[in-house]
Amino acid sequence: EVLRIIKTTPSLLRIPVVVLTSSDAESDIAKSFDYHANSYVVKPLDFKTFTKLMKDLGFYWLGWNAKPLAE
């Protein structure tokens, strides 16, 4: 519901949304992209792996990802 609201509100439309979930169900993935999620990540169960994923994800979005200038 939050994703749908963000992606249908013009002033929020450019906010990148990464869905971080325990579900790897195809229907959940498809629905997230139907609502214009920017990424869908299934959380690993192991804490060490989860911590590495968060570090890598942060590095990608804050370091490598190109963003438009703020309006």
Side-chain angles (χ1 to χ4, degrees), residues 15-31:
I15 294 174
V17 177
V18 176
V19 175
L20 180 63
T21 180
S22 59
S23 173
D24 62 357
E26 179 60 32
S27 60
D28 291 338
I29 296 168
K31 185 183 258 186

Side-chain angles (χ1 to χ4, degrees), residues 3-68:
L3 176 60
R4 185 188 63 76
I5 291 168
I6 289 172
K7 294 302 185 174
T8 58
T9 303
S11 62
L12 304 176
L13 195 57
R14 285 190 170 187
I15 294 174
V17 177
V18 176
V19 175
L20 180 63
T21 180
S22 59
S23 173
D24 62 357
E26 179 60 32
S27 60
D28 291 338
I29 296 168
K31 185 183 258 186
S32 293
F33 282 100
D34 286 346
Y35 285 130
H36 307 286
N38 298 91
S39 184
Y40 190 97
V41 179
V42 178
K43 295 185 283 190
L45 299 176
D46 174 68
F47 182 73
K48 186 175 181 179
T49 306
F50 175 76
T51 302
K52 181 178 180 339
L53 172 66
M54 291 298 95
K55 182 179 177 183
D56 293 346
L57 191 61
F59 185 73
Y60 168 75
W61 282 105
L62 300 173
W64 288 101
N65 187 51
K67 311 166 260 321

